[in-house]
CSV table of all heavy atoms in Angstrom, one decimal:
chain,number,residue,atom,x,y,z
A,331,TYR,N,-36.8,1.2,-16.4
A,331,TYR,CA,-36.9,0.0,-15.6
A,331,TYR,C,-36.5,-1.3,-16.4
A,331,TYR,O,-35.9,-2.2,-15.8
A,331,TYR,CB,-38.3,-0.2,-15.1
A,331,TYR,CG,-38.6,0.8,-13.9
A,331,TYR,CD1,-39.5,1.8,-14.1
A,331,TYR,CD2,-37.9,0.7,-12.7
A,331,TYR,CE1,-39.8,2.7,-13.1
A,331,TYR,CE2,-38.1,1.6,-11.7
A,331,TYR,CZ,-39.1,2.6,-11.9
A,331,TYR,OH,-39.3,3.5,-10.9
A,332,GLY,N,-36.7,-1.3,-17.7
A,332,GLY,CA,-36.2,-2.4,-18.5
A,332,GLY,C,-34.7,-2.4,-18.5
A,332,GLY,O,-34.1,-3.5,-18.4
A,333,LEU,N,-34.0,-1.3,-18.6
A,333,LEU,CA,-32.6,-1.2,-18.5
A,333,LEU,C,-32.1,-1.6,-17.1
A,333,LEU,O,-31.2,-2.4,-16.9
A,333,LEU,CB,-32.1,0.2,-18.8
A,333,LEU,CG,-30.6,0.4,-18.8
A,333,LEU,CD1,-29.9,-0.5,-19.8
A,333,LEU,CD2,-30.3,1.9,-19.1
A,334,GLU,N,-32.7,-1.1,-16.1
A,334,GLU,CA,-32.3,-1.4,-14.7
A,334,GLU,C,-32.4,-2.8,-14.3
A,334,GLU,O,-31.5,-3.5,-13.8
A,334,GLU,CB,-33.1,-0.5,-13.7
A,334,GLU,CG,-32.7,0.9,-13.6
A,334,GLU,CD,-31.5,1.1,-12.7
A,334,GLU,OE1,-30.8,0.2,-12.4
A,334,GLU,OE2,-31.2,2.3,-12.4
A,335,LEU,N,-33.6,-3.4,-14.6
A,335,LEU,CA,-33.8,-4.8,-14.2
A,335,LEU,C,-33.0,-5.8,-15.0
A,335,LEU,O,-32.5,-6.8,-14.5
A,335,LEU,CB,-35.3,-5.1,-14.4
A,335,LEU,CG,-36.3,-4.3,-13.5
A,335,LEU,CD1,-37.7,-4.6,-13.7
A,335,LEU,CD2,-35.9,-4.6,-12.0
A,336,SER,N,-32.8,-5.5,-16.3
A,336,SER,CA,-32.0,-6.4,-17.1
A,336,SER,C,-30.5,-6.3,-16.6
A,336,SER,O,-29.8,-7.4,-16.6
A,336,SER,CB,-32.0,-6.1,-18.6
A,336,SER,OG,-31.6,-4.7,-18.9
A,337,ASN,N,-30.1,-5.1,-16.3
A,337,ASN,CA,-28.7,-5.0,-15.8
A,337,ASN,C,-28.5,-5.7,-14.4
A,337,ASN,O,-27.5,-6.4,-14.2
A,337,ASN,CB,-28.4,-3.5,-15.6
A,337,ASN,CG,-26.9,-3.2,-15.3
A,337,ASN,OD1,-26.0,-3.7,-16.0
A,337,ASN,ND2,-26.7,-2.6,-14.2
A,338,ILE,N,-29.5,-5.6,-13.5
A,338,ILE,CA,-29.4,-6.3,-12.3
A,338,ILE,C,-29.4,-7.8,-12.5
A,338,ILE,O,-28.7,-8.6,-11.8
A,338,ILE,CB,-30.5,-5.8,-11.3
A,338,ILE,CG1,-30.3,-4.4,-10.9
A,338,ILE,CG2,-30.6,-6.8,-10.1
A,338,ILE,CD1,-31.4,-3.8,-10.1
A,339,ALA,N,-30.2,-8.3,-13.4
A,339,ALA,CA,-30.3,-9.7,-13.7
A,339,ALA,C,-28.9,-10.2,-14.2
A,339,ALA,O,-28.5,-11.3,-13.9
A,339,ALA,CB,-31.4,-10.0,-14.7
A,340,VAL,N,-28.3,-9.4,-15.1
A,340,VAL,CA,-27.0,-9.7,-15.6
A,340,VAL,C,-26.0,-9.8,-14.4
A,340,VAL,O,-25.2,-10.8,-14.3
A,340,VAL,CB,-26.4,-8.7,-16.6
A,340,VAL,CG1,-25.0,-8.9,-16.9
A,340,VAL,CG2,-27.3,-8.7,-17.9
A,341,PHE,N,-26.0,-8.8,-13.5
A,341,PHE,CA,-25.1,-8.8,-12.4
A,341,PHE,C,-25.2,-10.0,-11.5
A,341,PHE,O,-24.1,-10.7,-11.2
A,341,PHE,CB,-25.4,-7.5,-11.6
A,341,PHE,CG,-24.6,-7.4,-10.3
A,341,PHE,CD1,-23.2,-7.1,-10.4
A,341,PHE,CD2,-25.2,-7.4,-9.1
A,341,PHE,CE1,-22.5,-6.9,-9.3
A,341,PHE,CE2,-24.4,-7.3,-7.9
A,341,PHE,CZ,-23.1,-7.0,-8.0
A,342,PHE,N,-26.4,-10.4,-11.1
A,342,PHE,CA,-26.5,-11.5,-10.2
A,342,PHE,C,-26.3,-12.9,-10.9
A,342,PHE,O,-26.0,-13.9,-10.2
A,342,PHE,CB,-27.8,-11.5,-9.4
A,342,PHE,CG,-27.8,-10.4,-8.3
A,342,PHE,CD1,-28.6,-9.3,-8.4
A,342,PHE,CD2,-27.0,-10.6,-7.2
A,342,PHE,CE1,-28.6,-8.3,-7.4
A,342,PHE,CE2,-27.0,-9.6,-6.2
A,342,PHE,CZ,-27.8,-8.5,-6.3
A,343,SER,N,-26.6,-12.9,-12.2
A,343,SER,CA,-26.4,-14.2,-12.9
A,343,SER,C,-25.0,-14.5,-13.3
A,343,SER,O,-24.6,-15.6,-13.5
A,343,SER,CB,-27.4,-14.3,-14.1
A,343,SER,OG,-27.2,-13.2,-15.0
Side-chain angles (χ1 to χ4, degrees):
Y331 286 112
L333 181 60
E334 284 279 13
L335 295 177
S336 60
N337 188 57
I338 290 171
V340 172
F341 177 67
F342 284 112
S343 57

